Amino acid sequence: MVDAKAPVLIVGGGTIGCGWAAAFAAAGHSVQVYDPAPETAARVDLVWQKALPVLERLGGDCAEVPPPSHIARLDHVERSVAFVQEALPERLELKKDVLAEVERHVPADAVIASSTSGLSPSDIQDALVHPERLVIGHPCNPPYLMPVVEICAGAKTSAVAMDRADAFYTGIGKTVLRLRREMPGHLVNRLQAALWREAVHLAAEGVASVEDIEKAVTKGLAARWCVTGPTAIFHLAGGDAGLAKFFDDLGPEVEKWWASLGAPRLDAKTRAALIEGVAQSPDLADAEALASLRDARVPDILNLLSGPESRNGAKHYKREEETC
């Protein structure tokens, strides 16, 4: 088990790394963000300040919690680090090179989790002296808000490392999805990419505007998906007889839909059409306003879904002596 207050090292001070730093700090961990770029310190603080109201709405009280700190050199890492969360850009060789260096500065039993969106854990762990301790620990963005973390083992990952990562993320209130084998893009991103592929196809073919395609998801699909997943939706569509009746009634039609789904390419023409479609929508054009809207509304949804007896925030940031 990873101690509930064990020091955590974040490797990479970008959006995901700083988001992870906020999540771990709010859960009571001492957090260092390693990144040689001097502007990282300001980014760590900025994301922490943005995360605080979100964390409070999720049930936290972070007034007395030490914020994450920035270090520019690995020889400044706390020697008792028990968990490393890598959040570098999605470049395999960069991750391998940096993690090989990081490994020399952390205890041999520290778990190393990669936030990679789709790279293979087997490939990443090849550069490590102790490859058995590397797991995938991929969050939904931003990590301080979204509860899901996907974990996956590589060919050399030990069961102990997987169990420790599972327990660690669960301990800070995350919902852990444990993949049974490696797959490019893992789980959440593959599902997301499948829907987006059809959204891109429909926009590129002029079937609907980017704005209306977005509304088809947010107004037509999202509310039910908060409670039931894609298979359960069709199980309910079958009434009392469930999925079996749905297959009888609409199975062949769904196969026809599948056969007509698009396989678009993100070529210059398609990219331009999507960028223009976003720019033309008043609800989508301002990315900063959209992120603020997300951070304002998603906590309410998560708190509603968690129910009065296990509110996500209160459970998320409970510690032995106090609640954050």
Side-chain angles (χ1 to χ4, degrees):
M1 296 288 290
V2 178
D3 186 88
K5 294 184 181 180
V8 174
L9 174 65
I10 309 294
V11 180
T15 301
I16 297 298
C18 291
W20 266 128
F24 292 139
H29 292 275
S30 170
V31 180
Q32 294 179 308
V33 180
Y34 164 65
D35 193 314
E39 65 270 18
T40 303
R43 188 182 304 115
V44 170
D45 182 65
L46 176 63
V47 174
W48 175 243
Q49 296 304 322
K50 284 185 176 181
L52 281 175
V54 177
L55 295 165
E56 289 170 358
R57 292 185 64 194
L58 288 171
D61 179 11
C62 301
E64 303 300 322
V65 173
S69 63
H70 168 244
I71 58 172
R73 295 172 48 174
L74 283 172
D75 54 9
H76 293 164
V77 172
E78 290 189 51
R79 303 307 301 173
S80 57
V81 163
F83 199 90
V84 177
Q85 185 73 54
E86 173 265 306
L88 294 165
E90 197 75 344
R91 300 200 297 272
L92 177 60
E93 292 307 315
L94 174 66
K95 290 180 185 289
K96 290 171 67 173
D97 291 346
V98 174
L99 286 180
E101 178 64 23
V102 167
E103 190 178 34
R104 292 195 281 270
H105 293 268
V106 300
D109 61 348
V111 174
I112 298 178
S114 173
S115 300
T116 177
S117 297
L119 296 176
S120 162
S122 295
D123 290 341
I124 297 172
Q125 67 189 178
D126 271 351
L128 299 181
V129 175
H130 297 287
E132 70 280 357
R133 57 157 149 195
L134 184 128
V135 305
I136 296 300
H138 176 250
C140 288
N141 188 39
Y144 58 79
L145 169 62
M146 301 304 292
V148 164
V149 180
E150 304 171 304
I151 66 172
C152 179
K156 299 176 182 177
T157 304
S158 70
V160 171
M162 283 289 285
D163 289 343
R164 290 180 68 200
D166 193 331
F168 178 72
Y169 289 128
T170 300
I172 65 168
K174 296 301 185 184
T175 298
V176 177
L177 309 179
R178 194 159 175 159
L179 276 69
R180 296 176 177 177
R181 64 184 181 92
E182 296 181 56
M183 180 63 69
H186 316 315
L187 176 56
V188 174
N189 273 343
R190 288 184 69 89
L191 294 171
Q192 185 170 241
L195 177 62
W196 193 48
R197 181 173 74 172
E198 186 59 17
V200 170
H201 171 66
L202 293 171
E205 293 296 312
V207 175
S209 67
V210 171
E211 183 175 20
D212 279 351
I213 293 168
E214 296 291 301
K215 289 178 180 177
V217 176
T218 59
K219 306 296 185 183
L221 298 175
R224 292 183 299 177
W225 278 355
C226 284
V227 181
T228 55
T231 301
I233 289 292
F234 296 117
H235 178 54
L236 291 176
D240 292 342
L243 199 56
K245 186 175 188 302
F246 175 81
F247 287 150
D248 290 340
D249 292 347
L250 283 172
E253 287 301 310
V254 171
E255 288 187 323
K256 291 179 183 178
W257 302 343
W258 283 346
S260 68
L261 293 177
R265 306 295 301 177
L266 292 177
D267 54 26
K269 181 179 178 180
T270 300
R271 293 184 185 193
L274 291 172
I275 292 170
E276 182 182 2
V278 168
Q280 290 176 347
S281 171
D283 294 332
L284 304 176
D286 189 335
E288 185 173 349
L290 193 59
S292 296
L293 182 66
R294 174 202 64 198
D295 286 356
R297 292 186 176 177
V298 172
D300 289 338
I301 296 170
L302 294 176
N303 284 331
L304 177 64
L305 292 174
S306 66
E309 295 182 359
S310 60
R311 294 179 68 82
N312 185 64
K315 180 181 178 182
H316 196 152
Y317 302 113
K318 185 176 181 182
R319 297 185 287 164
E320 278 187 27
E321 295 85 9
E322 61 182 308
T323 298
C324 165

